[in-house]
């Protein structure tokens, strides 16, 4: 058996470890088709009854289902927050209330503006959730047991606030309700193996207050190296901390997204494009993300 096939088997075994059991033998058959969006439900006090809205969820984007959002939901910048502090506090309060209602997890404003802090019962859950939520195209960042989700004064109840709460409701539903304790241990073991190979690559955990020339320079460098070595073009929308690479078709993008995630790199998809993190503080030369991308491309193409 060739080294190429050996690597592919390792990647597929890792993906099956991450996926809820119901997907393990059929994830190639999952279609990125949405089942529609649930409408808001209100309690007698006039507030949204977040814990009564969902009886089922679309397939996980990790499994090849449709991302919850078509484009990334990002945190607000400090300037946006400072311009509307009252409205920002209202959004934070509703996000924390909703997340606690649908997950039962302690939630509070993050010390970093533009985010809320969700305390997971363990680092394994936080690590799985940060991967799954980013694949739903909602920004997420983890550190230990802390999971951070985006917030901003312009978040609307029926749109962005609902997007954040839906994304964690959906992913926590699959983690808590569709994976066993034995699988949680297997995921923890897998994370240890992946961390020993390459620490988790995430987009920078910060606001977008000023143009970051180091980041822009690094993004162009990574894009040029991927194009020169593989031929794929970086044609995606510009997001802080992310580079969008065109995989030319949806199924190729799904395969590459999965391959990057089992390479210990946060990754997400918008149509035929996948987005990979570009982070000058942990990968100043871009060599690590380029190497991981090349490896994933080699294995699945």
């Amino acid at each position: 058996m060739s080294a190429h096939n050996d690597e592919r088997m390792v990647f597929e075994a890792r993906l099956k470890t991450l996926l809820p059991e119901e997907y393990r033998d059929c994830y190639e058959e999952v279609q990125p088709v949405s089942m529609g969006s649930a409408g808001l439900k209100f309690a007698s006090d006039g507030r949204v009854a977040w814990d009564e809205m969902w009886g089922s969820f679309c397939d996980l984007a990790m499994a090849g289902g449709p991302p919850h959002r078509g484009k990334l939901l990002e945190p607000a910048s400090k300037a946006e927050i400072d311009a509307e502090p009252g409205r920002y506090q209202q959004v934070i309060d509703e996000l924390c209330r909703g997340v606690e209602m649908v997950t039962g997890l302690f939630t509070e404003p993050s010390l970093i503006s533009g985010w809320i802090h969700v305390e997971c019962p363990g680092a394994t859950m936080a690590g799985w959730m940060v991967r799954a939520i980013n694949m739903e195209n909602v920004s997420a960042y983890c550190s230990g047991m802390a999971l951070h989700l985006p917030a901003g004064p312009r978040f609307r109840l029926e749109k962005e606030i609902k997007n954040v709460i839906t994304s964690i409701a959906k992913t926590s539903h699959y983690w808590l309700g569709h994976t066993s304790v034995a699988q949680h241990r297997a995921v923890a073991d897998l994370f240890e193996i992946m961390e020993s190979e390459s620490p988790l690559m995430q987009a920078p955990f910060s606001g977008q207050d000023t143009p970051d020339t180091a980041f822009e320079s690094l993004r162009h460098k990574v894009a040029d190296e991927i194009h020169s070595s593989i031929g794929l073009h970086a044609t995606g929308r510009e997001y802080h901390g992310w580079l969008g690479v065109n995989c030319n078709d949806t199924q190729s993008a799904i395969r590459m997204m999965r391959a990057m995630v089992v390479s210990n790199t946060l990754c997400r998809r918008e149509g035929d494009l996948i987005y990979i993190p570009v982070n000058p503080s942990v990968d100043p030369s871009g060599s690590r993300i380029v190497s991981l991308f090349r490896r994933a491309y080699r294995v699945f193409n």
Side-chain angles (χ1 to χ4, degrees), residues 113-124:
S113 61
W115 300 86
I116 61 170
H117 170 168
V118 184
E119 192 70 14
C120 295
T124 302

Side-chain angles (χ1 to χ4, degrees), residues 21 101 116 210 231 233 258 272 284:
E21 185 174 349
M101 289 178 72
I116 61 170
T210 56
H233 295 272
R258 291 171 176 152
D272 296 349

